[in-house]
Amino acid sequence: MHELGIVFHIIRTVEDTGRANRIRRVSAVTLELGEVSGVVGDYLQDCWKWAAARSEMLAGAELRVETIPARTLCEACGEVYPTLPQGRICPVCGSDRTHLIQGNEMLIREIAVPDEPPDAESTSA
Ligand SMILES: [Zn+2]
């Protein structure tokens, strides 16, 4: 359900952007997804296929996911370390005064359009 909500959000955003730029078809969307964003990639793809097929602009479009590695900053010693598999405890000093500085994002990085001129001959009269 979480993933489906995200997919609908992405599709709405892409459709708005597409309309603003007079794009009729989108061939692929590249999404930056943080490692600890809690989104399940496989499930996201399933939801994407289902929802994109119902969009005129996005039917058949591919969802490309780029994973952003999670990183945590330790406020006690200043160390920046990979969140996985360390978690909240700093591996250098053992402090739990840490916070995530990267890895929770969900950003549309790129919208690809089909490689065709805007007024190509239409075969679907
Ligand atoms: Zn530390």
Side-chain angles (χ1 to χ4, degrees):
M1 176 241 148
H2 184 53
E3 279 76 5
L4 192 56
I6 289 168
V7 161
F8 281 136
H9 172 75
I10 296 168
I11 287 177
R12 256 197 313 274
T13 305
V14 171
E15 283 179 342
D16 287 349
T17 306
R19 270 191 290 272
N21 292 280
R22 300 182 184 190
I23 291 166
R24 280 177 299 162
R25 300 279 300 167
V26 168
S27 58
V29 175
T30 304
L31 187 72
E32 287 186 345
L33 196 62
E35 204 173 26
V36 294
S37 61
V39 177
V40 182
D42 287 351
Y43 190 39
L44 192 68
Q45 290 289 351
D46 288 346
C47 293
W48 174 262
K49 286 191 190 98
W50 184 87
R54 280 153 184 80
S55 160
E56 202 177 318
M57 193 185 292
L58 285 140
E62 183 190 348
L63 180 66
R64 297 172 186 154
V65 176
E66 290 184 0
T67 304
I68 307 295
R71 294 165 72 75
T72 293
L73 169 71
C74 174
E75 287 168 15
C77 74
E79 179 78 6
V80 174
Y81 62 90
T83 309
L84 300 178
Q86 292 291 343
R88 290 172 179 275
I89 306 299
C90 174
V92 174
C93 72
S95 171
D96 63 356
R97 280 172 52 209
T98 60
H99 67 262
L100 190 73
I101 54 171
Q102 176 187 298
N104 201 22
E105 43 281 275
M106 207 217 42
L107 294 166
I108 297 169
R109 195 172 67 91
E110 196 179 333
I111 298 171
V113 298
D115 209 4
E116 62 188 27
D119 49 5
E121 291 174 62
S122 178
T123 49
S124 60

